[in-house]
Amino acid sequence: MELAYLPWHLAERFGTAPAIRDSRVEVSFDELNRWVSAVAAQFAERGIGRGDVVAVMLPNRCELVVAMFAAWRLGAAATPVNPAFTPAEAEHQFSDADAALVVNTGPDAPSGGRPTLAVDHLAAPSRTDAAAPAPLSPDDLALIIYTSGSTGRPKGVMIPHGNVEAMSASMAEAMRLTSADHCLLILPLFHANALMVSLLSSLRVGAQLTIEEKFSPTTFFETVERRRPTYFSGVPTIYALLVSKAAELRPDLSSLRFVVCGAAPASRELLQAFEDRFGVPILEGYGLTEATCGSALNPLDGPRKVGTVGVALPGQRIRIVDENLNDVPVGTAGEVLITGPVVMAGYLGNPEATAETLVDGWVRTGDVGTLDDDGYLTIVDRIKDMIIRGGENIYPKEIESTISSLPGVLEVAVVGRSDDVLGEVPVAFVVPYPDADLTADQILAHCREHLTRVKVPVAVETVPTLPKNPVGKIDKPRLRTTAAT
């Protein structure tokens, strides 16, 4: 199997075509390959080789990509680290992954006492002959990507090169990517979404990539007008901010063929509002790091069913099962299971958690969903987010969808709060649009009109923002703590 996303293969195919850029630098595929070779030589001088792990703790920039590729050139794996981590958080990842080298921003950045190489000291692209790349097989470890840790200590998800090849090829096929495409990368590169949907899927077909250090609603539209990308991938919060920000603007987004929405559930109203406002198809998808990234996507050329996360991506299968892992009838809710060439190798150093998540080659996602007759997947909720009120099972997503249908609602999250009599009761946190005149009483009245009594929140709090984890998902554990006080 040729791993088509590796820069030495890309240079042979695409040569002087533009590859990646950020606000500081722009390189072709040839230059990218020479840069990777030079940095790999630096890593080799520090003893990095097959089986080692290189930790890369950098904000979004070209050097993060180069360092990851340089590790792969030597047969090593890379673990991208959130640059906003505290020293304790970063050192957990360095230690758990047993990083042999840390690439960071300099002496003040966390290193865990391990050998480091500052980003400003990385070698420049070299024209000299470099050693041949280490041979890589599909089973060789490519990435260790850490979970958000919302249900405990972050776990290292082991992603072999075979997974990366299958995932990037699958996304490129589903999105109909060609060398004429141009991806604007706005999500953090320590997360699977940015790595797979934006970086590797685009580069493997010779498309170009513009890396933004971070998403900014203030400058986003100007960036799109100037760079003229053909697609980008975002999370629901980003689309909500764009819809809100564009109320008084008429940005030119005509270069965009489509955009992708994933990583967290989006309401029908938000997806429709974005398409109505900008005229750009928005493809909602679904996936998790344990299956490398994406497993379902609304098709670009086929029917897009708003409210679903689409059909299984090429090469993958999706099942819905009951608590005994038996298949349930079409339209019946149950746990979502995924299989295919994207299933993780396991959690690093954690066989117990691996055994709980991987069953006969299937990933247990912990999500509740349904499949319709056409194979479109609808996510009902997280199993762990389910609220049991007086013995009645309540899925917060249903309440959130109801509240989202109310004009003026920008974002909403519903969590359970302990109750001495009923066990748990639902509490809603709502972010209104900036110009919306929305009260808690109006929201509750809307819920009473559209929901059975047991599902109506006992309290609604309007807030300016919702807490988010590093990849943009609403931080429900923190909201549960807030609701309990």
Side-chain angles (χ1 to χ4, degrees):
M1 174 190 292
E2 180 180 283
L3 306 175
Y5 51 85
L6 296 172
W8 39 102
H9 299 320
L10 296 174
E12 293 176 357
R13 295 170 60 200
F14 304 114
T16 59
I20 61 173
R21 69 173 63 83
D22 59 20
S23 60
R24 306 170 185 85
V25 66
E26 178 175 345
V27 295
S28 68
F29 285 95
D30 277 338
E31 291 165 330
L32 174 61
N33 185 41
R34 291 198 296 271
W35 196 359
V36 169
S37 298
V39 173
Q42 276 187 301
F43 288 0
E45 290 169 359
R46 287 160 172 77
I48 302 302
R50 181 175 294 279
D52 288 325
V53 175
V54 175
V56 187
M57 188 176 181
L58 295 175
N60 278 14
R61 56 189 293 176
C62 288
E63 288 85 351
L64 191 160
V65 176
V66 170
M68 179 181 71
F69 282 147
W72 291 352
R73 187 177 179 92
L74 299 172
T79 184
V81 185
N82 183 351
F85 269 177
T86 64
E89 291 170 321
E91 287 164 16
H92 165 72
Q93 186 166 337
F94 299 153
S95 175
D96 191 68
D98 193 20
L101 179 69
V102 176
V103 179
N104 61 20
T105 54
D108 294 332
S111 68
R114 294 170 182 267
T116 61
L117 183 58
V119 64
D120 290 340
H121 295 157
L122 290 178
S126 171
R127 294 182 180 273
T128 59
D129 290 338
L136 292 171
S137 78
D139 294 330
D140 286 327
L141 186 61
L143 292 161
I144 306 173
I145 301 177
Y146 278 74
T147 62
S148 62
S150 59
T151 58
R153 289 288 268 178
K155 298 186 289 290
V157 178
M158 296 188 290
I159 306 295
H161 277 285
N163 290 41
V164 178
E165 172 64 24
M167 186 75 261
S168 59
S170 176
M171 290 303 308
E173 178 183 347
M175 298 187 295
R176 305 290 189 265
L177 298 183
T178 72
S179 59
D181 278 300
H182 176 187
C183 177
L184 180 65
L185 191 156
I186 57 176
L187 295 178
L189 274 165
F190 60 82
H191 188 254
N193 189 313
L195 289 169
M196 301 298 162
V197 181
S198 298
L199 172 67
L200 297 173
S201 296
S202 58
L203 291 189
R204 69 174 290 122
V205 300
Q208 58 182 302
L209 181 81
T210 294
I211 300 171
E212 290 290 297
E213 182 170 336
K214 59 183 178 181
F215 169 75
S216 168
T218 304
T219 61
F220 178 81
F221 293 121
E222 185 275 330
T223 299
V224 172
E225 291 176 340
R226 177 166 49 90
R227 296 294 192 184
R228 308 297 292 165
T230 60
Y231 83 100
F232 67 87
S233 179
V235 297
T237 299
I238 286 176
Y239 293 106
L241 289 170
L242 293 180
V243 169
S244 176
K245 189 74 176 176
E248 302 171 358
L249 302 173
R250 292 292 181 270
D252 178 9
L253 305 187
S254 59
S255 66
L256 292 169
R257 291 198 297 120
F258 65 91
V259 297
V260 178
C261 182
S267 69
R268 294 170 181 261
E269 290 73 21
L270 174 59
L271 298 175
Q272 196 62 57
F274 183 89
E275 291 206 24
D276 291 346
R277 178 67 185 81
F278 300 113
V280 179
I282 183 167
L283 311 182
E284 188 178 12
Y286 165 79
L288 66 166
T289 307
E290 287 83 350
T292 304
C293 176
S295 291
L297 187 71
N298 267 283
L300 180 60
D301 301 323
R304 285 181 287 118
K305 296 187 180 182
V306 177
T308 78
V309 292
V311 296
L313 284 168
Q316 298 188 54
R317 292 171 57 204
I318 296 173
R319 294 168 58 202
I320 308 296
V321 301
D322 61 21
E323 61 272 13
N324 297 315
L325 303 187
N326 295 317
D327 292 329
V328 300
V330 170
T332 303
E335 184 177 2
V336 180
L337 269 59
I338 295 166
T339 195
V342 296
V343 172
M344 68 172 179
Y347 294 116
L348 180 66
N350 198 335
E352 296 84 5
T354 299
E356 291 174 2
T357 302
L358 299 185
V359 178
D360 296 329
W362 292 82
V363 177
R364 297 191 63 175
T365 68
D367 290 318
V368 179
T370 63
L371 285 172
D372 68 13
D373 289 325
D374 299 318
Y376 283 72
L377 175 65
T378 298
I379 299 300
V380 175
D381 219 325
R382 289 287 296 168
I383 291 174
K384 292 177 181 177
D385 286 345
M386 186 175 70
I387 300 166
I388 303 177
R389 181 179 187 176
E392 190 97 23
N393 293 347
I394 300 171
Y395 290 111
K397 191 170 183 289
E398 181 183 1
I399 306 172
E400 292 164 356
S401 296
T402 298
I403 294 175
S404 292
S405 69
L406 185 65
V409 174
L410 179 61
E411 286 188 294
V412 57
V414 174
V415 296
R417 185 177 73 192
S418 295
D419 184 90
D420 291 340
V421 176
L422 298 172
E424 282 184 300
V425 291
V427 175
F429 295 85
V430 179
V431 180
Y433 277 101
D435 58 349
D437 183 17
L438 198 61
T439 67
D441 287 342
Q442 289 172 318
I443 296 167
L444 283 170
H446 181 76
C447 289
R448 293 187 188 104
E449 181 180 352
H450 296 281
L451 295 169
T452 59
R453 183 177 177 184
V454 72
K455 298 174 184 176
V456 174
V458 299
V460 171
E461 184 175 348
T462 57
V463 293
T465 59
L466 294 174
K468 305 291 196 317
N469 69 16
V471 297
K473 296 181 182 180
I474 294 171
D475 191 342
K476 286 199 170 182
R478 199 189 312 179
L479 282 178
R480 291 188 191 98
T481 300
T482 301
T485 58

